[in-house]
Short mmCIF file of all heavy atoms in Angstrom, two decimals:
data_model
loop_
_atom_site.label_atom_id
_atom_site.label_comp_id
_atom_site.label_asym_id
_atom_site.label_seq_id
_atom_site.Cartn_x
_atom_site.Cartn_y
_atom_site.Cartn_z
N VAL S 1 -31.61 108.39 14.75
CA VAL S 1 -32.33 109.54 14.18
C VAL S 1 -31.38 110.39 13.33
O VAL S 1 -30.25 110.66 13.74
CB VAL S 1 -33.03 110.38 15.28
CG1 VAL S 1 -32.03 111.10 16.16
CG2 VAL S 1 -34.01 111.37 14.68
N PRO S 2 -31.80 110.80 12.14
CA PRO S 2 -30.95 111.65 11.30
C PRO S 2 -30.70 113.01 11.98
O PRO S 2 -31.56 113.52 12.72
CB PRO S 2 -31.76 111.84 10.01
CG PRO S 2 -32.80 110.76 10.02
CD PRO S 2 -33.05 110.43 11.46
N ALA S 3 -29.58 113.59 11.70
CA ALA S 3 -29.20 114.86 12.33
C ALA S 3 -30.18 115.98 11.99
O ALA S 3 -30.42 116.87 12.82
CB ALA S 3 -27.78 115.25 11.89
N ASP S 4 -30.79 115.92 10.82
CA ASP S 4 -31.70 117.00 10.41
C ASP S 4 -33.18 116.69 10.70
O ASP S 4 -34.06 117.40 10.23
CB ASP S 4 -31.49 117.32 8.94
CG ASP S 4 -31.83 116.14 8.03
OD1 ASP S 4 -31.96 114.99 8.54
OD2 ASP S 4 -31.97 116.37 6.81
N PHE S 5 -33.45 115.66 11.49
CA PHE S 5 -34.83 115.26 11.74
C PHE S 5 -35.63 116.38 12.41
O PHE S 5 -36.75 116.70 12.00
CB PHE S 5 -34.89 113.98 12.59
CG PHE S 5 -36.30 113.54 12.88
CD1 PHE S 5 -37.04 112.85 11.92
CD2 PHE S 5 -36.92 113.83 14.09
CE1 PHE S 5 -38.35 112.46 12.16
CE2 PHE S 5 -38.23 113.43 14.34
CZ PHE S 5 -38.94 112.74 13.36
N GLU S 6 -35.06 116.99 13.46
CA GLU S 6 -35.77 118.05 14.19
C GLU S 6 -36.07 119.22 13.26
O GLU S 6 -37.17 119.78 13.29
CB GLU S 6 -34.95 118.50 15.41
CG GLU S 6 -35.71 119.49 16.30
CD GLU S 6 -34.93 119.81 17.57
OE1 GLU S 6 -34.12 119.01 18.05
OE2 GLU S 6 -35.17 120.92 18.09
N LYS S 7 -35.10 119.59 12.42
CA LYS S 7 -35.29 120.69 11.48
C LYS S 7 -36.42 120.37 10.50
O LYS S 7 -37.32 121.18 10.28
CB LYS S 7 -33.98 120.95 10.72
CG LYS S 7 -34.07 122.05 9.69
CD LYS S 7 -32.74 122.20 8.94
CE LYS S 7 -32.92 123.22 7.85
NZ LYS S 7 -32.44 122.83 6.59
N LYS S 8 -36.40 119.15 9.94
CA LYS S 8 -37.45 118.74 8.99
C LYS S 8 -38.81 118.68 9.68
O LYS S 8 -39.83 119.06 9.10
CB LYS S 8 -37.12 117.39 8.37
CG LYS S 8 -36.04 117.44 7.34
CD LYS S 8 -35.81 116.07 6.71
CE LYS S 8 -34.77 116.12 5.62
NZ LYS S 8 -34.52 114.80 5.03
N ALA S 9 -38.83 118.22 10.94
CA ALA S 9 -40.09 118.15 11.68
C ALA S 9 -40.67 119.54 11.87
O ALA S 9 -41.87 119.75 11.72
CB ALA S 9 -39.86 117.46 13.02
N ASN S 10 -39.82 120.52 12.17
CA ASN S 10 -40.30 121.89 12.38
C ASN S 10 -40.73 122.55 11.07
O ASN S 10 -41.58 123.44 11.08
CB ASN S 10 -39.24 122.72 13.11
CG ASN S 10 -39.33 122.50 14.61
OD1 ASN S 10 -40.37 122.73 15.21
ND2 ASN S 10 -38.25 122.02 15.20
N GLU S 11 -40.16 122.11 9.97
CA GLU S 11 -40.58 122.65 8.67
C GLU S 11 -42.01 122.25 8.33
O GLU S 11 -42.73 123.00 7.68
CB GLU S 11 -39.63 122.17 7.56
CG GLU S 11 -38.26 122.81 7.61
CD GLU S 11 -37.28 122.18 6.61
OE1 GLU S 11 -37.67 121.23 5.88
OE2 GLU S 11 -36.12 122.63 6.57
N VAL S 12 -42.44 121.08 8.77
CA VAL S 12 -43.79 120.61 8.45
C VAL S 12 -44.77 120.79 9.61
O VAL S 12 -45.98 120.69 9.44
CB VAL S 12 -43.79 119.12 8.01
CG1 VAL S 12 -42.97 118.94 6.76
CG2 VAL S 12 -43.32 118.21 9.11
N SER S 13 -44.25 121.05 10.80
CA SER S 13 -45.09 121.18 11.99
C SER S 13 -45.88 122.48 11.97
O SER S 13 -45.45 123.49 11.41
CB SER S 13 -44.19 121.14 13.23
OG SER S 13 -44.95 121.40 14.39
N LYS S 14 -47.01 122.44 12.62
CA LYS S 14 -47.84 123.63 12.75
C LYS S 14 -47.34 124.54 13.87
O LYS S 14 -47.67 125.71 13.95
CB LYS S 14 -49.29 123.22 13.01
CG LYS S 14 -49.88 122.43 11.87
CD LYS S 14 -51.24 121.85 12.25
CE LYS S 14 -51.70 120.89 11.19
NZ LYS S 14 -51.66 119.51 11.58
N GLY S 15 -46.53 123.97 14.79
CA GLY S 15 -45.97 124.73 15.91
C GLY S 15 -44.50 124.39 16.07
O GLY S 15 -43.90 123.73 15.23
N LYS S 16 -43.90 124.83 17.17
CA LYS S 16 -42.46 124.60 17.43
C LYS S 16 -42.31 123.27 18.17
O LYS S 16 -42.95 123.03 19.19
CB LYS S 16 -41.91 125.76 18.27
CG LYS S 16 -40.52 125.59 18.77
CD LYS S 16 -39.52 126.10 17.76
CE LYS S 16 -38.12 126.11 18.36
NZ LYS S 16 -37.25 125.09 17.91
N LEU S 17 -41.40 122.39 17.66
CA LEU S 17 -41.14 121.10 18.28
C LEU S 17 -39.65 120.94 18.58
O LEU S 17 -38.81 121.40 17.81
CB LEU S 17 -41.58 119.96 17.36
CG LEU S 17 -43.08 119.85 17.08
CD1 LEU S 17 -43.34 118.80 16.01
CD2 LEU S 17 -43.84 119.50 18.34
N THR S 18 -39.36 120.27 19.68
CA THR S 18 -37.97 119.90 19.99
C THR S 18 -37.92 118.39 20.16
O THR S 18 -38.89 117.78 20.63
CB THR S 18 -37.46 120.59 21.28
OG1 THR S 18 -38.34 120.28 22.35
CG2 THR S 18 -37.37 122.08 21.12
N LEU S 19 -36.80 117.82 19.78
CA LEU S 19 -36.62 116.38 19.90
C LEU S 19 -36.05 116.09 21.28
O LEU S 19 -34.95 116.55 21.61
CB LEU S 19 -35.68 115.87 18.81
CG LEU S 19 -35.40 114.37 18.79
CD1 LEU S 19 -36.69 113.57 18.60
CD2 LEU S 19 -34.41 114.02 17.70
N SER S 20 -36.79 115.34 22.08
CA SER S 20 -36.34 114.97 23.42
C SER S 20 -35.22 113.95 23.32
O SER S 20 -35.27 113.04 22.51
CB SER S 20 -37.51 114.40 24.23
OG SER S 20 -37.04 113.92 25.47
N LYS S 21 -34.21 114.11 24.18
CA LYS S 21 -33.10 113.16 24.21
C LYS S 21 -33.37 112.03 25.20
O LYS S 21 -32.61 111.08 25.29
CB LYS S 21 -31.79 113.87 24.61
CG LYS S 21 -31.43 115.02 23.71
CD LYS S 21 -31.17 114.56 22.30
CE LYS S 21 -30.81 115.75 21.41
NZ LYS S 21 -31.04 115.51 20.02
N GLU S 22 -34.48 112.10 25.93
CA GLU S 22 -34.87 111.08 26.90
C GLU S 22 -35.77 110.05 26.20
O GLU S 22 -36.85 110.40 25.73
CB GLU S 22 -35.62 111.70 28.07
CG GLU S 22 -34.80 112.64 28.92
CD GLU S 22 -33.67 111.91 29.62
OE1 GLU S 22 -33.90 110.80 30.14
OE2 GLU S 22 -32.54 112.45 29.61
N PRO S 23 -35.34 108.79 26.15
CA PRO S 23 -36.17 107.77 25.49
C PRO S 23 -37.37 107.35 26.35
O PRO S 23 -37.35 107.50 27.56
CB PRO S 23 -35.20 106.61 25.30
CG PRO S 23 -34.21 106.75 26.39
CD PRO S 23 -34.08 108.24 26.64
N VAL S 24 -38.38 106.84 25.67
CA VAL S 24 -39.56 106.28 26.34
C VAL S 24 -39.74 104.84 25.87
O VAL S 24 -39.17 104.44 24.86
CB VAL S 24 -40.85 107.10 26.06
CG1 VAL S 24 -40.79 108.46 26.71
CG2 VAL S 24 -41.10 107.22 24.58
N LYS S 25 -40.53 104.10 26.60
CA LYS S 25 -40.76 102.69 26.24
C LYS S 25 -41.95 102.58 25.29
O LYS S 25 -43.10 102.45 25.72
CB LYS S 25 -41.01 101.85 27.50
CG LYS S 25 -39.79 101.66 28.33
CD LYS S 25 -40.03 100.63 29.40
CE LYS S 25 -38.73 100.35 30.13
NZ LYS S 25 -38.83 99.23 31.03
N ILE S 26 -41.65 102.69 24.04
CA ILE S 26 -42.62 102.46 22.97
C ILE S 26 -41.93 101.61 21.91
O ILE S 26 -40.70 101.57 21.85
CB ILE S 26 -43.16 103.78 22.36
CG1 ILE S 26 -42.02 104.65 21.83
CG2 ILE S 26 -44.01 104.54 23.36
CD1 ILE S 26 -42.47 105.92 21.10
N ASN S 27 -42.69 100.93 21.10
CA ASN S 27 -42.09 100.05 20.08
C ASN S 27 -41.52 100.83 18.91
O ASN S 27 -40.44 100.54 18.42
CB ASN S 27 -43.11 99.04 19.56
CG ASN S 27 -43.44 97.99 20.59
OD1 ASN S 27 -42.60 97.64 21.40
ND2 ASN S 27 -44.66 97.49 20.56
N ASN S 28 -42.27 101.79 18.42
CA ASN S 28 -41.86 102.54 17.24
C ASN S 28 -42.71 103.79 17.16
O ASN S 28 -43.59 104.01 17.98
CB ASN S 28 -42.03 101.68 15.98
CG ASN S 28 -43.36 100.97 15.96
OD1 ASN S 28 -44.38 101.56 16.27
ND2 ASN S 28 -43.37 99.69 15.62
N GLY S 29 -42.41 104.62 16.16
CA GLY S 29 -43.15 105.87 16.06
C GLY S 29 -42.66 106.85 17.12
O GLY S 29 -41.50 106.82 17.51
N PHE S 30 -43.56 107.69 17.60
CA PHE S 30 -43.18 108.69 18.59
C PHE S 30 -44.41 109.19 19.34
O PHE S 30 -45.55 108.87 18.98
CB PHE S 30 -42.45 109.87 17.91
CG PHE S 30 -43.28 110.55 16.85
CD1 PHE S 30 -44.12 111.61 17.15
CD2 PHE S 30 -43.23 110.11 15.53
CE1 PHE S 30 -44.89 112.22 16.18
CE2 PHE S 30 -43.99 110.72 14.55
CZ PHE S 30 -44.82 111.78 14.87
N LEU S 31 -44.15 110.00 20.34
CA LEU S 31 -45.20 110.71 21.06
C LEU S 31 -44.97 112.19 20.86
O LEU S 31 -43.83 112.65 20.87
CB LEU S 31 -45.16 110.38 22.56
CG LEU S 31 -45.29 108.93 22.97
CD1 LEU S 31 -45.09 108.79 24.48
CD2 LEU S 31 -46.63 108.35 22.57
N LEU S 32 -46.04 112.93 20.67
CA LEU S 32 -45.97 114.40 20.67
C LEU S 32 -46.49 114.84 22.03
O LEU S 32 -47.64 114.56 22.37
CB LEU S 32 -46.82 114.98 19.55
CG LEU S 32 -46.32 114.81 18.13
CD1 LEU S 32 -47.35 115.29 17.12
CD2 LEU S 32 -45.00 115.53 17.92
N LEU S 33 -45.63 115.52 22.80
CA LEU S 33 -46.02 115.96 24.13
C LEU S 33 -46.19 117.47 24.13
O LEU S 33 -45.24 118.21 23.86
CB LEU S 33 -44.96 115.54 25.17
CG LEU S 33 -44.61 114.05 25.24
CD1 LEU S 33 -43.55 113.82 26.31
CD2 LEU S 33 -45.85 113.23 25.53
N TYR S 34 -47.38 117.88 24.43
CA TYR S 34 -47.68 119.30 24.56
C TYR S 34 -48.08 119.52 26.01
O TYR S 34 -48.29 118.57 26.76
CB TYR S 34 -48.84 119.69 23.62
CG TYR S 34 -48.48 119.57 22.15
CD1 TYR S 34 -48.88 118.47 21.40
CD2 TYR S 34 -47.73 120.55 21.52
CE1 TYR S 34 -48.57 118.36 20.06
CE2 TYR S 34 -47.41 120.45 20.17
CZ TYR S 34 -47.82 119.35 19.45
OH TYR S 34 -47.49 119.26 18.13
N ASP S 35 -48.20 120.75 26.41
CA ASP S 35 -48.56 121.05 27.79
C ASP S 35 -49.96 120.50 28.08
O ASP S 35 -50.96 121.08 27.69
CB ASP S 35 -48.52 122.57 28.01
CG ASP S 35 -48.67 122.94 29.47
OD1 ASP S 35 -48.25 122.14 30.34
OD2 ASP S 35 -49.22 124.03 29.76
N GLY S 36 -50.00 119.32 28.73
CA GLY S 36 -51.28 118.71 29.10
C GLY S 36 -51.89 117.82 28.03
O GLY S 36 -52.93 117.20 28.25
N ILE S 37 -51.31 117.78 26.86
CA ILE S 37 -51.86 116.95 25.78
C ILE S 37 -50.76 116.07 25.23
O ILE S 37 -49.68 116.55 24.88
CB ILE S 37 -52.44 117.82 24.64
CG1 ILE S 37 -53.57 118.70 25.14
CG2 ILE S 37 -52.92 116.94 23.49
CD1 ILE S 37 -54.06 119.70 24.12
N ASP S 38 -51.02 114.79 25.16
CA ASP S 38 -50.10 113.83 24.55
C ASP S 38 -50.78 113.24 23.33
O ASP S 38 -51.92 112.78 23.41
CB ASP S 38 -49.74 112.70 25.52
CG ASP S 38 -49.02 113.19 26.76
OD1 ASP S 38 -48.59 114.35 26.78
OD2 ASP S 38 -48.88 112.39 27.71
N ILE S 39 -50.05 113.24 22.22
CA ILE S 39 -50.58 112.64 21.00
C ILE S 39 -49.73 111.42 20.69
O ILE S 39 -48.53 111.53 20.46
CB ILE S 39 -50.57 113.63 19.82
CG1 ILE S 39 -51.43 114.85 20.18
CG2 ILE S 39 -51.09 112.95 18.55
CD1 ILE S 39 -51.37 115.97 19.16
N ASN S 40 -50.37 110.26 20.70
CA ASN S 40 -49.67 108.99 20.52
C ASN S 40 -49.57 108.68 19.02
O ASN S 40 -50.56 108.36 18.37
CB ASN S 40 -50.42 107.87 21.25
CG ASN S 40 -49.65 106.58 21.30
OD1 ASN S 40 -48.75 106.35 20.51
ND2 ASN S 40 -50.04 105.72 22.22
N CYS S 41 -48.37 108.77 18.50
CA CYS S 41 -48.12 108.49 17.09
C CYS S 41 -47.30 107.21 16.92
O CYS S 41 -46.53 107.07 15.97
CB CYS S 41 -47.41 109.67 16.43
SG CYS S 41 -48.44 111.15 16.32
N THR S 42 -47.48 106.27 17.86
CA THR S 42 -46.84 104.96 17.68
C THR S 42 -47.65 104.21 16.63
O THR S 42 -48.84 104.45 16.45
CB THR S 42 -46.82 104.17 18.99
OG1 THR S 42 -48.15 103.93 19.42
CG2 THR S 42 -46.03 104.89 20.08
N PHE S 43 -46.99 103.29 15.94
CA PHE S 43 -47.69 102.55 14.89
C PHE S 43 -48.83 101.73 15.47
O PHE S 43 -49.90 101.64 14.87
CB PHE S 43 -46.72 101.67 14.11
CG PHE S 43 -45.66 102.45 13.37
CD1 PHE S 43 -44.50 101.83 12.95
CD2 PHE S 43 -45.81 103.79 13.08
CE1 PHE S 43 -43.52 102.52 12.26
CE2 PHE S 43 -44.84 104.51 12.40
CZ PHE S 43 -43.69 103.87 11.99
N ASP S 44 -48.60 101.15 16.66
CA ASP S 44 -49.67 100.37 17.29
C ASP S 44 -50.90 101.24 17.52
O ASP S 44 -52.02 100.84 17.22
CB ASP S 44 -49.19 99.80 18.64
CG ASP S 44 -48.17 98.69 18.47
OD1 ASP S 44 -48.15 98.05 17.40
OD2 ASP S 44 -47.40 98.45 19.42
N SER S 45 -50.69 102.43 18.05
CA SER S 45 -51.80 103.33 18.34
C SER S 45 -52.50 103.79 17.05
O SER S 45 -53.73 103.83 16.98
CB SER S 45 -51.30 104.55 19.11
OG SER S 45 -52.35 105.47 19.32
#
């Protein structure tokens, strides 16, 4: 991940996001985890 990814993500995000340092088992893309809501942004999904 590029060093400025979190900064760029927050520039375009509608809310505040932090990049988790804990990996998950997904192929690619990412998950957005909010309090009680998970948004699956993996390419498969």
Side-chain angles (χ1 to χ4, degrees):
V1 69
D4 63 345
F5 180 79
E6 187 174 333
K7 179 183 175 228
K8 286 183 177 179
N10 277 302
E11 288 173 0
V12 298
S13 174
K14 297 171 189 108
K16 173 88 172 106
L17 294 172
T18 55
L19 181 60
S20 174
K21 303 297 180 202
E22 295 295 317
V24 291
K25 288 191 174 189
I26 57 175
N27 289 329
N28 46 44
F30 58 90
L31 301 175
L32 289 173
L33 304 180
Y34 294 100
D35 189 30
I37 299 173
D38 297 348
I39 300 173
N40 189 340
C41 293
T42 62
F43 297 161
D44 289 337
S45 176

